[in-house]
Amino acid sequence: KLTYMDWQHASLFNFGPAMDRALLATTNTYPTDTAKIIAAFTNENWTPGLPATLSNIGLPALDYLLNHASAEDIALEINDDSFRLDHLKRLIDYLQTESSAVLTAWEGDFKSTFTASTGTEEGSSIGLLLNSFNEVYEQGIRKQKLGLPNGIMTFSGTPQPKIVEAPFAANWSIDLMHEALIGCENFYFGDFVQGASQQIGLDDYLKSLGDVEYGAGLNDAISGQLTAAKAAVLTMNDPLADYVVDSQDATFEVFEELQALVLLWKVDMMSSLGVLITYQDNDND
């Protein structure tokens, strides 16, 4: 669970070495395909990272293998089936290999290249950074963690409880969603205390534009909406898979709080900072 929580912070930086290695897709593509996970147990030629394996590797696959039954039953399964244990190790080794490779690349040439790029044009460092941040928030947090499971972003409007994050752990989904918002908050403020420290963040960038609607005023709006969104997420109850069915209307209200941040970050902030949105979505925001 600690790794899952940490991932909510790291996932925001899906550019450069992380994108080169498709770390976002290999770490947390869900829902996971349990049949393919089981089929891989005895496959000696199993190769992670291929398109065919994206739906059955990473944290979601570990969630299934470690949480689909009671701790006692899981222990019995692993003790009785060496192939299951071997595959669990393969999944963990792959996560470690890929994340370590991304870290090594950052600590190598990419860090100096990234910090040397100071413009705001397409392909600039801040362009890569903010496009990744907005896309992960819009598609990975707002939509995938809640908008699809509760049905608000589907044609039918029908809840899809089976596609919540970490469904086998059952009681982690809301914690992960809340942690993802904390990751966004830390990203925006550059620290853990909503800009109260001397750390430089996007809030300082906006405030530097002056005490105007698109500067300090926009920062105030973002700060307030972040607080509202975090509080709204915590009004829901785990298992989220049950809650999106039993209290669908309540989840719609939470979604609206998450949606408000899309408009503030993707539209208003990007315009104020002069950074172009370069990714595509079809959500009609």
Side-chain angles (χ1 to χ4, degrees), residues 256-270:
E256 290 304 317
E257 298 292 351
L258 299 179
Q259 173 64 21
L261 282 169
V262 173
L263 300 177
L264 289 169
W265 276 328
K266 181 181 178 181
V267 180
D268 297 340
M269 182 183 73
M270 295 292 272

Side-chain angles (χ1 to χ4, degrees), residues 16 28-29 33 43 46 92-93 101 106 112 119 139 145 212 225 228 230 237 249 259 263 273 275:
N28 198 29
T29 293
D33 190 326
N43 183 358
W46 177 81
I92 293 170
D93 287 345
W106 263 101
S112 58
Q139 301 295 330
K145 293 183 190 298
V212 291
Q225 191 55 43
K230 288 193 303 176
N237 297 318
D249 288 346
Q259 173 64 21
L263 300 177
L273 301 182
V275 180

Side-chain angles (χ1 to χ4, degrees), residues 32 86 120 236 250 269:
T32 197
D86 289 343
T120 59
M236 300 186 294
M269 182 183 73

Side-chain angles (χ1 to χ4, degrees), residues 49 80 136 228:
D80 292 343
V136 172

